[in-house]
Amino acid sequence: MRKFFAMFLALVMALSLAACGGSGGSEGSGGSQPSGGSSSGGDKVVKIGVFEPATGDSGAGGKQEMLGMQYANKETPTVVIGGETYTVELVYADNASDAAKAPTAASQLVSQDVSLVLGTYGSGCAIAGGPVFGEAGLAAIGVTCTNPGVTAGNDYYFRICFLDPFQGTVLANFASEKFSAKKAYLLGELGNDYDQGLLNYFEQAFDGECVKDSFPPNTSDFSTYLNKAVAEGVDVIFCPVSIAYSTQIVKLAASMNLDIPILGSDTLDSNMVLEAAKGSNVQIYVSTFYQEGGAPDFDNGIKAWLAEDSTAMTNNGGNDTIAAVTAMGYDAYYVALEALKAAGSPDKAAVKAALPSLTYTGVSGDIAFDEVGDAVRDTAYIKTADNAAGAWTLETVQTAK
């Protein structure tokens, strides 16, 4: 009886081992494809890291950027790599809009065995997390992080958006051409790489006088700053700040009946900023990457998805206005798929090697990388808020001079 029981146990163990040993390596198995694996159902899986803020001052923008990736993943959930079909899994790490927390979030993605990373919204977090990716030999594709410091000295960070020297120059030119501005008030958050970089680039390009201020983090009363702009007699206000701050500034400007045009960067391209301005006479102009209507199939598809997914609609601010960062997140996902195809393997080193020569035409335009890994882009959309309709309208398409 004892001998029979022992034979029975041996048979059970043999069957169990056979059931666990599928044709592909399991996740984290350390097999020949370290960044790919198999799901419990046996399907091959490739992981793409999503390095974005879901919380903090940039959380609203991070969620909108992620929506583009999530919609693209729903639309195209698989990719053929080296002749085999893989299911694409998005792996998330919240950097909390905080440069001090960004390295931890980046390390979390490295430990999750992803093939490459997308993000982040917010240049400060990209700059802080970038060295972690570089040390791990993991390529990251910035989506809307526009500060030059993101790619400077880091061969593993790429990006698909234009840069702040270009954006600052475009807005300075626009201020002169649209408003004949000779004096500008510049306002940004103290210690914020994105804000401060843009203020400097605007100041360098502006043909006139600049009055510049910085507010401390967690400021909630901007009356002193806007009153100073009025007292200084400026022609425009330039405040390239986060959605959390910009909505406060716009609401205050509306209550003051401020008649000085407010110029903003891509961070102000948000339906939450539109909501803050709705019904007022505040003049808002923003530079950005995409204008709704530029790709009708994409617009219609993502609006239908938002309508059927209440969580996605909430993350988009409660309506179906398409933010440019969402279009950019969508394009970034497809650039990632193209990199995986070109690599012929989910191996992170192969993916990184494939990126420099990659080209792709997305809903936001043609995408290619220069020798630094920055996007080859020379055009920005300038949009203005229609406060009666609560919508953005295209003002002009602008290039730097």
Side-chain angles (χ1 to χ4, degrees), residues 10 65 103 105 183 237 315:
E65 194 158 288
K183 190 173 185 179
I237 295 171
N315 288 340

Side-chain angles (χ1 to χ4, degrees), residues 206-260:
F206 185 61
D207 185 18
E209 178 186 355
C210 291
V211 178
K212 187 159 61 171
D213 275 327
S214 295
F215 58 85
N218 302 315
T219 295
S220 58
D221 183 0
F222 291 89
S223 55
T224 299
Y225 302 103
L226 293 189
N227 284 327
K228 180 176 179 179
V230 173
E232 289 281 352
V234 301
D235 300 306
V236 295
I237 295 171
F238 177 48
C239 56
V241 297
S242 71
I243 294 173
Y245 291 131
S246 60
T247 52
Q248 295 178 64
I249 291 169
V250 168
K251 287 177 182 176
L252 177 60
S255 70
M256 293 171 57
N257 290 317
L258 189 72
D259 60 0
I260 304 171

Side-chain angles (χ1 to χ4, degrees), residues 328-381:
M328 294 291 280
Y330 179 86
D331 278 352
Y333 177 86
Y334 282 103
V335 170
L337 296 195
E338 290 301 310
L340 289 164
K341 292 176 189 176
S345 164
D347 175 69
K348 63 186 179 182
V351 173
K352 192 271 179 184
L355 275 168
S357 59
L358 197 70
T359 59
Y360 178 72
T361 298
V363 298
S364 65
D366 294 333
I367 296 170
F369 303 111
D370 65 14
E371 65 280 359
V372 179
D374 289 328
V376 181
R377 293 212 181 216
D378 62 357
T379 303
Y381 297 93

Side-chain angles (χ1 to χ4, degrees), residues 5 14 33 63 74 95 101 106-107 131 142 171 199 210 230 233 243 258 263 269 273 289 292 307 316 319 333 364 377:
F5 186 65
Q33 295 182 338
K63 288 176 181 177
K74 180 179 184 295
N95 58 47
K101 297 177 180 178
S107 295
L171 288 163
L199 296 186
C210 291
V230 173
I243 294 173
L258 189 72
L263 308 185
D269 177 23
V273 173
F289 315 101
E292 192 171 316
N316 196 50
N319 61 43
Y333 177 86
S364 65
R377 293 212 181 216

